[in-house]
Amino acid sequence: MDAVMLVGGQGTRLRPLTMSAPKPMLPVAGVPVTAHMLARARDAGIDRVVLATSYRAEVFEEYFGDGSAHGLQLEYVTETEPMGTGGAIRNVAERLHGGPGDPVVIFNGDILAGLDIQALVARHTGTGAAVTLHLTRVVDPRAFGVVPVDDDGRVTAFLEKTPDPPTNLINAGCYVFRRSVIDTIPTGRPVSVERETFPGLLAAGTAVMGYPDDTYWLDLGTPAAFVQGSRDLVTGRMASPALPGPVGDCLVLPGAVVAADAKIGGGATVGAGAWVGAGAAIDGAVLFDGAVVEAGAVVRDSVIGRDAVIGSGVALDGVVIGDGVRIERGNELRSGARVFPGVVLSAGAVRFSSDRT
Ligand code: GDD
Ligand code: MG
């Protein structure tokens, strides 16, 4: 069976991390976000995936190649201008091998989901719907596509990012399309599947089914969610065949150097070649490859970019530190602060700031 993975977004909510790598390629629990869902797709019997790329397209093929090392056949289609989610799906149509009635699974590339992919496809073929949407419940649906369904599970509306959601059931970012429906998406211009294709199918009376599901689900599009997703993979709350180590309290990748009395826990990840000094504490944080945390520093629930240096005694909680940034000793940053590449915070410059630096 064929699948498409949408990976062309800019990931602006994760800046500065997405300045050097597209969001779906940021390492979460040691491997790119997409590697986790590609492995789950493979285990569900999907053998070919077309990656719909746009922003920083080359990074995907450099990492995944033809897919053989991951047990998949992978192909890449790059949009010269971003075509939107619907435009991206339409743009890969000629690479799909199935016939007009066959199912095609589409994945958003920034999701971790415990979804039973085979069961979703079985629901789709069983009901004969044109499209079947994986749905999940969230506390605050306003940042998502809100999807009310009737008693038979049939979708009655699709309300993308609505301020006044009628239900907390949302589009979980995985769909099954009947192949022939993809061919009806217009070509040559950007199309949003959420704002145009789904509402259009519903207005035309086409059968769109929902598949509500309460397994693990997370969109990794914000720093807080990114850290949470990484912790959940490391601790096994979200199962992934791509996890590069045993489930546990932390994941320390090969080539990392950690002082014997440093405390690493809470589902933290220490990237390859990273260095953690004596008495430092890393709690639930993500250290990208080559990051350095010097003696006595405390890093909680934060993302530390590649080769960034966190000086001795620095305290970080809930922050994002860009690639190569130096935070010298005595600084304290909390609650949503982001430090962009090129910045050096000299000793003691900031205490407890939640502003952008
Ligand atoms: N190829 C390509 N081209 N991919 C794109 C483009 C594009 O122009 N625009 C976005 N994508 C990809 C992104 O890389 C991401 O993997 C996926 O499409 C969804 O884009 P996001 O930017 O993450 O959207 P969102 O999180 O605000 O909303 C979407 O996901 C929610 C669930 O997480 C929508 O589908 C919502 O309806 C849904 O609830
Ligand atoms: Mg998203």
Side-chain angles (χ1 to χ4, degrees):
M1 189 170 35
D2 275 352
V4 176
M5 192 168 271
L6 301 174
V7 292
Q10 292 238 12
T12 36
R13 287 169 298 171
L14 278 177
R15 276 164 62 91
L17 300 172
T18 45
M19 291 165 75
S20 60
K23 170 170 64 173
M25 286 303 288
L26 291 175
V28 59
V31 297
V33 173
T34 41
H36 297 288
M37 288 312 284
L38 285 173
R40 290 185 67 100
R42 174 201 64 211
D43 289 358
I46 291 172
D47 46 17
R48 248 183 101 248
V49 182
V50 185
L51 278 85
T53 65
S54 172
Y55 174 66
R56 309 275 337 247
E58 68 291 348
V59 186
F60 294 90
E61 196 162 0
E62 278 163 20
Y63 184 89
F64 288 109
D66 66 0
S68 52
H70 303 266
L72 284 162
Q73 295 169 47
L74 296 180
E75 287 187 33
Y76 304 85
V77 176
T78 302
E79 298 142 44
T80 39
E81 293 294 322
M83 295 300 280
T85 46
I89 297 168
R90 181 66 182 88
N91 195 45
V92 306
E94 63 191 30
R95 300 290 191 95
L96 301 172
H97 286 175
D102 285 338
V104 180
V105 185
I106 318 280
F107 295 96
N108 283 359
D110 61 340
I111 304 286
L112 292 177
L115 163 75
D116 180 340
I117 298 166
Q118 279 180 348
L120 174 72
V121 176
R123 168 72 61 86
H124 174 80
T125 43
T127 61
V131 177
T132 304
L133 312 182
H134 174 213
L135 306 179
T136 190
R137 283 179 207 282
V138 293
V139 175
D140 183 359
R142 288 174 299 177
F144 299 101
V146 174
V147 185
V149 295
D150 69 15
D151 292 343
D152 302 321
R154 197 166 157 154
V155 172
T156 57
F158 195 106
L159 308 159
E160 183 68 11
K161 302 193 172 81
T162 181
D164 196 13
T167 168
N168 61 355
L169 208 51
I170 62 147
N171 166 26
C174 177
Y175 329 113
V176 190
F177 269 73
R178 190 193 300 145
R179 161 65 206 263
S180 57
V181 177
I182 294 176
D183 298 326
T184 67
I185 298 173
T187 57
R189 65 169 173 87
V191 176
S192 162
V193 80
E194 297 90 348
R195 295 180 192 276
E196 181 175 339
T197 311
F198 294 145
L201 289 169
L202 293 169
T206 309
V208 178
M209 290 298 292
Y211 179 80
D213 166 65
D214 58 9
T215 60
Y216 183 95
W217 186 85
L218 197 62
D219 174 315
L220 300 183
T222 64
F226 189 84
V227 167
Q228 169 88 49
S230 190
R231 282 199 305 251
D232 291 342
L233 286 161
V234 169
T235 58
R237 199 171 152 234
M238 164 69 195
S240 168
L243 186 71
V247 161
D249 201 35
C250 64
L251 174 67
V252 178
L253 292 168
V257 177
V258 176
D261 64 347
K263 289 192 196 64
I264 321 254
T269 299
V270 179
W275 191 90
V276 180
I282 314 291
D283 181 10
V286 184
L287 271 51
F288 286 1
D289 291 355
V292 172
V293 176
E294 293 178 346
V298 177
V299 181
R300 268 196 95 229
D301 296 347
S302 299
V303 187
I304 311 299
R306 290 178 78 105
D307 302 324
V309 178
I310 310 303
S312 61
V314 166
L316 303 177
D317 188 351
V319 307
V320 176
I321 306 297
D323 293 344
V325 166
R326 271 190 80 85
I327 312 279
E328 293 182 353
R329 81 197 130 72
N331 284 294
E332 187 183 330
L333 295 169
R334 291 195 197 163
S335 314
R338 300 179 190 218
V339 185
F340 279 62
V343 170
V344 175
L345 277 193
S346 52
V350 183
R351 289 218 175 261
F352 193 2
S353 161
S354 59
D355 297 324
R356 249 164 204 250
T357 307

